[in-house]
Amino acid sequence: MLSAHQPFETYPALIREAAHEAGGVAQVAGGVPAMCDGVTQGQPGMELSLFSRDVIAMAAGIGLSHNMFDAAVYLGVCDKIVPGLAIAALTFGHLPAVFIPAGPMTSGLPNDEKAKIRQLFAEGKVGRDELLEAESKSYHGPGTCTFYGTANSNQMLMEIMGFHLPGA
């Protein structure tokens, strides 16, 4: 549902195919709930954001608890999913693990142009339709959010720690 995770839709099949070509077997151990603070602001349940990290860690841990895996691949983006998955990975630290990000969201409307439209709206020089059009153009692609927030810093941290391939 979330644009940050949309690229992951086809990843399980791709991972299974790559493992099969290498002589291995890959299975989906489980899925975890994902929420976006930007989407849930002002909505019922927005206060579950931080709590969701524990739920994610537990869900991933339960998926790995069958003692059937030789390694784990974690698919996740954002400041709740990545820490939750990292907790699960550390709990099962005997399994080699790699984290795969969804890649960067394609750029939308540049920040300075978006800020200009917001300023014009605040001054009453453009209407709500123009403001909503600019906001819609700002985040129009799948992948990790374009602003330098916790989603991107989590991705960089995973790379620095060696859990992502360089440049991921």
Side-chain angles (χ1 to χ4, degrees):
M1 182 191 98
L2 303 176
S3 60
H5 302 113
Q6 185 277 331
F8 290 139
E9 182 177 0
T10 59
Y11 279 37
L14 295 170
I15 293 167
R16 278 202 269 318
E17 184 180 326
H20 179 73
E21 288 175 9
V25 175
Q27 297 179 351
V28 175
V32 300
M35 65 182 293
C36 172
D37 291 332
V39 174
T40 60
Q41 288 301 304
Q43 302 298 316
M46 75 177 211
E47 70 279 354
L48 296 174
S49 178
L50 295 176
F51 177 72
S52 72
R53 291 178 183 166
D54 293 332
V55 173
I56 291 161
M58 187 177 293
I62 290 169
L64 292 170
S65 68
H66 299 90
N67 198 25
M68 295 177 52
F69 304 102
D70 297 319
V73 174
Y74 297 92
L75 306 176
V77 177
C78 269
D79 59 336
K80 289 142 310 277
I81 293 118
V82 170
L85 293 176
I87 292 167
L90 293 168
T91 302
F92 289 84
H94 60 283
L95 295 176
V98 64
F99 285 69
I100 301 176
M105 182 182 286
T106 53
S107 295
L109 194 64
N111 285 337
D112 56 347
E113 191 173 337
K114 182 172 61 172
K116 179 181 175 186
I117 297 293
R118 286 178 175 173
Q119 181 64 38
L120 291 172
F121 176 77
E123 295 171 3
K125 295 178 180 175
V126 300
R128 182 172 166 79
D129 289 342
E130 291 87 355
L131 175 67
L132 291 177
E133 181 181 352
E135 294 295 331
S136 294
K137 287 180 178 177
S138 297
Y139 303 105
H140 67 277
T144 304
C145 299
T146 55
F147 65 91
Y148 290 113
T150 52
N152 278 305
S153 59
N154 270 269
Q155 301 306 311
M156 292 186 290
L157 180 62
M158 297 310 284
E159 184 173 329
I160 290 165
M161 291 173 34
F163 288 120
H164 279 178
L165 294 174

